[in-house]
Amino acid sequence: MVFLPSTTSTTSAVDVSLKRSRVDYSRHLSSEARARLPNPIKSIWKAAQVKTGTINMGNGDPHHTLYPICEMNFVVPSVDEHDPVQSWRSGTGEQNIVASYKDDPCTLSLRTAFAYGAGAGLKEVRDALADLNDRIHSPPNHTVSLSLGNADALTKCFRLLGDRGDSFLCEEFTFSAMTNAALPLGIEWVPIRMDNNGLVPSDLERILSNWDEATQGKRPHVLYTIPCSQNPTGSTLSLERRQQIYQIAHDWDIIILEDDPYFFLQYDLDVNQSTIQEHGYTRAMAEVLPRSFLSMDYDGRVMRLDSFSKIVAPGMRLGWVTSNSFFAEKLDMLTDSSSQHPHGMGQAFIAELLGSGGWGVDGFMKWILSLCNEYQRRRDLFMDVFRQKVAISGFATAEVPQSGMFVWVKINLEHHARFSTSQTPTVPGGPTTNTADLMDELFRKLLHSGLVMMPASTFAVVDHTGTTRSHINDRVNFFRATFVGTDVTIRDGLTIFGRTLEEFFF
């Protein structure tokens, strides 16, 4: 456990009576979560698992002898290769078969994988992922539940924690598919300012300390954040900022939804080869991966969301949520009465892949390191071509991302002949520039030229609470571009981008 000293300069000016010294998890639950009862059938099913050999005549499970499948074979790369990703891509490496059986020994029997289960997922998979968590994050006293990927997990967390009229905190640019999912629940988003290094802790503190419940409603109690390769900006929070944010969350009793699908995709890693030789890839990677909010969660306020979408395949639709046992139980109750447990095929595959007959956790981390090296190569290619074809004009700039899949490209509209900073806002606090109009025009020109990049306006969170000092439409002069495509896609796309950008400015 790590106790972090106060790092915010404004804390002393705040009435300490407004802050809480300990976490009352129940106060964070939504009315829906409070009213929800356990699924009675699932409760009996769980009780039946306690005693081995119990005859179950209560559930309507088809008998495993009637399953029209008895074996699944997954052909995967061999991680015995020096660089398994490159060997797999080139077709020169060895292959392994990871198998699941119904009637023969394996890590997770198809008899179990294909039967009805509990919302939290099957024990074999949860135990494997808890072991991975322990080796990477060493979280104190946390529980793992499975999800159908982070989108499924997040929407359930919103239902678990949010009531109509609540305000949640998030970065001012964020993954709008997720923030939009909270709007029908009546949750309002409060955007926090960002810079090149991500969420600005002092702005988070400013919002919370200046919040007036008489005019703005209940003070926010949930922070949704993407700390690594923030989507869309590609920024990664430093350890210092994470510590500051966690301390603020502790002071104001904020639950942190740590959405971290890009966590394992880190670049420019200084992996110690001696550690690999002596202790394996998992220890070596744990030493250089960023420090998560979960790893410093000494009072159980973090709900961390991980996914296989970026490190195995997005169609897996399988992820895991790590939280305190109180939230885990409430989340499992929601799952038991909604989507039910994740699909058995995915659970069987992950169980075997991480098991003794597959890669194992250490082999999995070797694959991750190899994957990082390949994505770093593509990132470096993107930045080289960007400098040659785009940045040379001075009309666009970009920071080199430390992780993930995205580059946040800034369009320097101040060089455009039609850029205006003296527009009269149509509403109080509205935009004072024509940034949004010019960016929409550029987006359409790019589309006509055969190139799609995501405009910043797609991800902008408009403040309706009066906490932001300037309108976000004055800061939407960015595009989100990805470097995960082929080399040809990167070269051709950036060539079109550079040419179209010059046409737009001239």
Side-chain angles (χ1 to χ4, degrees):
M1 297 186 185
V2 180
F3 188 84
L4 305 171
S6 179
T7 53
T8 52
S9 59
T10 56
T11 299
S12 59
V14 178
D15 182 356
V16 293
S17 67
L18 296 176
K19 301 181 179 183
R20 300 169 188 268
S21 59
R22 66 193 245 334
V23 185
D24 174 12
Y25 300 131
S26 64
R27 91 166 189 92
H28 293 282
L29 293 179
S30 65
S31 298
E32 177 192 355
R34 294 171 189 271
R36 181 173 294 107
L37 298 175
N39 182 324
I41 295 175
K42 291 292 185 181
S43 298
I44 293 174
W45 180 89
K46 291 174 186 176
Q49 310 306 306
V50 174
K51 184 178 179 181
T52 303
T54 296
I55 298 173
N56 189 346
M57 298 180 67
N59 281 11
D61 292 20
H63 196 264
H64 66 81
T65 57
L66 302 179
Y67 297 168
I69 186 170
C70 66
E71 179 180 342
M72 292 194 307
N73 293 321
F74 303 96
V75 180
V76 300
S78 170
V79 289
D80 291 333
E81 302 288 336
H82 173 70
D83 189 342
V85 169
Q86 291 304 321
S87 298
W88 180 250
R89 290 183 65 234
S90 64
T92 59
E94 295 293 324
Q95 297 177 346
N96 289 342
I97 295 178
V98 176
S100 294
Y101 304 102
K102 182 168 70 70
D103 301 315
D104 293 325
C106 59
T107 301
L108 176 58
S109 171
L110 294 181
R111 296 187 185 190
T112 302
F114 286 168
Y116 288 123
L122 296 171
K123 183 178 184 300
E124 292 84 349
V125 187
R126 290 188 289 115
D127 285 351
L129 294 175
D131 178 47
L132 178 63
N133 273 353
D134 287 342
R135 298 194 198 189
I136 301 298
H137 307 287
S138 301
N141 194 28
H142 282 71
T143 300
V144 169
S145 300
L146 301 188
S147 70
L148 297 169
N150 283 16
D152 169 65
L154 266 174
T155 53
K156 287 174 179 172
C157 287
F158 294 158
R159 289 178 62 184
L160 188 73
L161 302 172
D163 274 321
R164 184 165 297 279
D166 279 358
S167 295
F168 282 10
L169 301 150
C170 66
E171 289 104 345
E172 63 178 345
F173 293 100
T174 192
F175 189 42
S176 52
M178 289 297 90
T179 51
N180 286 351
L183 297 179
L185 301 176
I187 295 169
E188 192 77 64
W189 288 103
V190 181
I192 306 165
R193 288 296 293 267
M194 304 178 70
D195 60 18
N196 290 341
N197 299 309
L199 185 156
V200 178
S202 61
D203 199 56
L204 172 61
E205 176 75 20
R206 177 189 66 82
I207 291 170
L208 291 168
S209 60
N210 292 336
W211 193 271
D212 183 0
E213 292 193 332
T215 60
Q216 295 176 282
K218 187 170 70 173
R219 182 179 284 104
H221 69 109
V222 174
L223 167 65
Y224 167 54
T225 183
I226 308 170
C228 291
S229 186
Q230 198 271 344
N231 190 357
T233 68
S235 60
T236 295
L237 289 172
S238 66
L239 174 58
E240 180 182 10
R241 285 204 177 185
R242 291 172 197 248
Q243 290 173 333
Q244 291 173 346
I245 291 166
Y246 188 90
Q247 183 64 45
I248 294 169
H250 171 78
D251 289 345
W252 292 101
D253 196 13
I254 304 295
I255 301 301
I256 299 176
L257 297 180
E258 183 178 22
D259 183 11
D260 219 357
Y262 307 100
F263 171 78
F264 288 104
L265 299 182
Q266 303 291 326
Y267 311 127
D268 305 306
L269 296 174
D270 186 17
V271 179
N272 190 312
Q273 295 300 314
S274 296
T275 303
I276 292 176
Q277 295 298 322
E278 294 177 19
H279 304 287
Y281 283 88
T282 308
R283 170 82 71 85
M285 288 292 283
E287 291 177 352
V288 296
L289 287 170
R291 179 89 179 274
S292 65
F293 284 115
L294 179 68
S295 72
M296 56 184 73
D297 188 23
Y298 56 85
D299 54 14
R301 64 180 62 260
V302 174
M303 298 186 74
R304 178 178 171 83
L305 286 65
D306 285 281
S307 173
F308 289 105
S309 294
K310 307 301 187 291
I311 52 178
V312 177
M316 280 287 296
R317 305 320 307 152
L318 190 64
W320 67 103
V321 180
T322 311
S323 66
N324 66 63
S325 57
F326 179 83
F327 284 153
E329 180 184 14
K330 300 300 181 182
L331 188 64
D332 295 345
M333 286 171 58
L334 171 55
T335 301
D336 277 337
S337 296
S338 57
S339 64
Q340 302 288 312
H341 54 84
H343 48 94
M345 286 188 180
Q347 293 196 66
F349 172 63
I350 291 300
E352 301 302 336
L353 188 70
L354 299 181
S356 58
W359 289 350
V361 170
D362 210 57
F364 178 72
M365 293 308 298
K366 182 178 181 179
W367 172 262
I368 293 296
L369 177 58
S370 183
L371 194 63
C372 289
N373 291 336
E374 171 57 21
Y375 277 133
Q376 180 178 322
R377 184 193 68 79
R378 299 187 190 202
R379 179 207 64 177
D380 293 345
L381 174 64
F382 182 104
M383 297 308 301
D384 286 344
V385 178
F386 182 86
R387 283 186 282 267
Q388 297 166 20
K389 300 293 185 179
V390 181
I392 193 171
S393 69
F395 298 141
T397 54
E399 299 286 333
V400 179
Q402 298 173 264
S403 59
M405 297 180 167
F406 305 120
V407 177
W408 193 231
V409 180
K410 181 182 180 182
I411 307 301
N412 299 320
L413 289 180
E414 64 272 16
H415 299 312
H416 198 283
R418 289 185 282 117
F419 180 61
S420 171
T421 60
S422 57
Q423 288 194 156
T424 302
T426 56
V427 295
T432 59
T433 72
N434 62 341
T435 298
D437 292 337
L438 288 175
M439 289 299 294
D440 183 64
E441 181 182 334
L442 177 55
F443 170 76
R444 294 179 187 279
K445 284 183 71 70
L446 290 170
L447 195 61
H448 181 73
S449 299
L451 177 66
V452 175
M453 288 184 176
M454 288 294 178
S457 58
T458 306
F459 308 98
V461 180
V462 178
D463 178 32
H464 297 292
T465 63
T467 61
T468 304
R469 294 166 177 168
S470 63
H471 200 283
I472 196 167
N473 280 0
D474 289 331
R475 303 191 299 279
V476 294
N477 55 316
F478 294 87
F479 283 111
R480 189 195 76 178
T482 181
F483 53 84
V484 299
T486 64
D487 293 7
V488 172
T489 297
I490 292 171
R491 294 183 188 279
D492 290 352
L494 290 177
T495 299
I496 293 172
F497 185 43
R499 182 177 65 244
T500 307
L501 199 59
E502 292 193 14
E503 293 172 359
F504 171 70
F505 273 84
F506 290 118

